[in-house]
Amino acid sequence: MSEKDRGQWGSKVGFILAASGSAIGLGNIVFFSANAYKFGGGAFYLPYFIALFVIGMPVMILEFGLGHSTRRAFPESLHEAAGKAGEFVGWWALMNASFITLYYITILGWVVGMFVGSFGHLWAEAVATPKFAMDSLPNPHGYFFSMLSSWKPVVYVALVWFLNGILVRRGVATIEAAVKVFVPLMWIFMIVLIIRGLTLPHGTQGLWLLFTPNFEVMKDPAVWQGAFSQIFFTLSLGFGVMTAYASYLPKNSDSTNNAILTSLMNCGFEYIAGLAVFSILFAFAMVPQASTLAMMFFIVPKGIGQLPGGEPWVIAFGLMFFLLLLLAGLSSSVSLVEGLASSLIDKFRVSRAKALTVFCVFGFVGSAVFTLPQVVNPGLENDGTMGLTLLDLTDHWAFSYGLLIVGLLECLLLGWAFGVSRLWRHINATSRWHLGAWYDALIKFVIPALILFVLVWAVRAEFRDGLYGLSYADNFTSGFRWMAQSPLFILGFWLLVTVGLAAGFTLKGSYTSKRGKA
Ligand code: TRP
């Protein structure tokens, strides 16, 4: 396939909007705040900043530089750098990211449901949730759980997959057109939310919790694992998408500058989103449970429900909040759809329409699994429905381990097998700000050592405390207890499917014979 057929970004602004659109997502608006709260506010943001500068930016430069130099999607560019083993890591990253995308899109489906509900009784007083132990919960808590225990989300999930297909139907051209609208709107909505939050009585007190460092908690490796995986997730690293996006850049692009701009825009957004969320929480004296989904679907919405000005304002802010989540989520999920589609097109030379149709149909089925409405835990101490429980268990492996494993492997492959200095010489040729020997040290030693440390620690903790999810068993209705008693089942499924598919894609067909070096 010639360079021209692959497409190219129309402008640098278009690329930066798309890359930051991929980076800015649910991770920024709610996961960051939920993580920060879980680890005690100030205990989180220092490890988070260290992770941003020591791991996030250097790895983003690596992923951009790789795509820019090979002008190919992730598996093929890693193939060029490190042979079959590299290619396998590339496909595995995409498969792991696909698992994340499946439930990410389910969450976006629920967001659509909340948006639709805002026109109905979502913001009314209370709603009956007969399938759960409490007969009625205050809205939007109640609305969320009654939606979850129905089949409606299947329709919403279908809609979100359809939108994804539409947005990438002509590759970077349609993505660029969409992000030019989505990303500026996201910033505007976020700024409106912050102003509303900070001008509430006591709103600014939340900031103390967010910004007072806690050095004691920082001794706990769990905080570091949380910060490292959050950085990978929020910057879209380890998904294979940044390499795909950078492969559509003109030859003279500045990878270092692009990476620094994208990460700063992303983390700036995340930071101010933290201000908005924490100020709303404090103004209404709410205790966010650690769960990220709770934060998104009923803690923050509960705050919105109490905003002054009466129902019209509540509904307006509610609609804006859910629309913000939807736009932010869509501009992230399309990056993976594009990253995987372009990898399949590059290797198997299928048509874009065919690759997208197959992927969206499979994706829809996968995401529908996370909407399964059977109530497994009527007391709601843990996840209430089957879909939610499967989501939580899958997230634990694909998010907290998968992304870090990809990060570790890509640094080792590019650092040692390929030789990172070859890459940074290429990057330096078109960059204003030059990388040097210190960058070798980061990619070859420092980053792998840090990631390895938290991974080994985390695996040891799983053995020590029992696999994640085991403790759910006590709350689950007897018919469903197997799910919590065998979290190994989810772990095994995730490993088997991702490794199997990645091996299949690597071994089938070959890249040779197709093109001269770019
Ligand atoms: N960076 C996104 C966020 O913070 C996450 C993300 C990036 C993502 N690419 C993705 C999620 C692809 C799903 C699919 O939310």
Side-chain angles (χ1 to χ4, degrees), residues 345-359:
I345 296 167
D346 280 356
K347 180 157 192 183
F348 301 107
R349 285 188 260 173
V350 285
S351 72
R352 176 168 280 271
K354 198 167 155 196
L356 282 180
T357 313
V358 172
F359 188 41

Side-chain angles (χ1 to χ4, degrees), residues 32 35-37 39-53 207-215 218 223-224 227 230-231 270-271 278:
F32 171 75
N35 268 326
Y37 188 84
F39 294 115
F44 191 68
Y45 86 82
L46 266 185
Y48 171 85
F49 269 107
I50 295 173
L52 166 64
F53 288 104
L207 309 190
W208 291 112
L209 182 67
L210 191 57
F211 293 133
T212 313
N214 176 343
F215 296 102
M218 267 187 257
V223 179
W224 293 91
Q230 172 70 14
I231 275 294
E270 187 146 302
Y271 216 55
F278 273 73

